[in-house]
Amino acid sequence: MTAGMALAGRRRGLKCLAGVALAAALPGAVRAQAKGRRLVSLSGALTEVVYLLQAQDQLVGTDTTSLYPEAVRRTAKVGYVRQLSAEGLLSLRPDTVIGTSEAGPPVVLEQIRQAGVRVALVPSRHNWAEVQEKVAVVGRETGRAQQATALMAQLDAQWAGVQAQVAQATRKPRVLFILAHSGSPMVAGRGTAAQALMAYAGAANVIDQFEGYRPLTAEALASAAPEVIISTTQGIEALGGETAFWQRPELALTPAYAKKALVALEASHLLGFGPRLPGAVQALHLRTLQWVA
């Protein structure tokens, strides 16, 4: 069998899987329409918007980054956003899958499209326009465009207020972001969500020599000299808690070590670039300033 024939056969199988599952649960087009839209979200931020627009009755599945609000933890999980499987997603019989450009692998998303499911992705740009597009996409895909417009007006006002507050600061704390959810701790450079968040919060990232994330080293910390360390609550827990975190020898080389200057926020709140971004920026701004006052 050729590679092309194998791929065609797999696509037919995926279509069949989606069709059989739908027929078994909803025997007839009329009944399917009565059930309304069936939505799978592959982004914690997009999932939050679904709930804010009170469209959670359409939500039949979410990825493992969807942890807020609490009720979403009870939805069917389709796996980690970057390691999805077409079979798992299609078993939920979605009409639409929403996510960001971080979702993948790409071949899985293409298989889902080939099965007749609409896939709507928002590019990850790590700016306020990304949040605006997320709200608009959820509003469109859930049939709540008018509610989405009203929500965005509220969020825009919050964002403007927070940015005005940040602009009044006379001090830019030197900060370092450490990502430590699994494996060796990594530090955030340019082009990351962490870098964008620190800039929005009026802080200066001490790592600007590279893009993306790289392993944490004593040499890098010593030369960077951060006044405040930023991380996620999940990352601090993965490293054994705050006391164990500060026992890492490389941290003793930083100005932050003397005061144990650490700011940790829940990961989806801190890095999700969703509707809670104004609150995350404000919290990061105020808490970093407190450490350098």
Side-chain angles (χ1 to χ4, degrees), residues 63-111:
D63 75 309
T64 56
T65 72
S66 296
L67 300 172
Y68 184 87
E70 181 68 26
V72 77
R73 297 172 185 260
R74 297 190 290 273
T75 58
K77 294 299 179 183
V78 298
Y80 179 54
V81 61
R82 298 179 188 271
Q83 299 173 348
L84 303 168
S85 76
E87 288 81 359
L89 273 163
L90 292 175
S91 69
L92 297 175
R93 299 174 283 109
D95 301 303
T96 303
V97 170
I98 57 175
T100 71
S101 54
E102 296 178 346
V107 65
V108 169
L109 297 177
E110 181 57 27
Q111 289 167 353

Side-chain angles (χ1 to χ4, degrees), residues 17 194 259:
L17 173 62
K259 294 183 178 181

Side-chain angles (χ1 to χ4, degrees), residues 196-262:
L197 188 74
M198 290 183 280
Y200 278 133
N205 185 8
V206 295
I207 301 295
D208 61 1
Q209 302 91 342
F210 56 81
E211 293 188 0
Y213 289 88
R214 290 190 183 179
L216 173 66
T217 65
E219 293 79 6
L221 278 177
S223 61
E227 299 173 289
V228 183
I229 304 293
I230 300 170
S231 190
T232 66
T233 53
Q234 292 94 325
I236 298 301
E237 290 170 4
L239 292 174
E242 189 169 338
T243 299
F245 173 77
W246 285 114
Q247 289 174 352
R248 298 184 66 88
E250 63 269 28
L251 295 177
L253 303 173
T254 70
Y257 180 82
K259 294 183 178 181
K260 304 296 189 294
L262 173 67

Side-chain angles (χ1 to χ4, degrees), residues 123-132 134 159 196 200 273 277:
S124 294
R125 301 186 297 273
H126 307 145
N127 57 22
W128 186 244
E130 177 184 334
V131 179
Q132 293 173 318
K134 285 174 177 174
W159 183 247
Y200 278 133
F273 275 77
L277 182 61

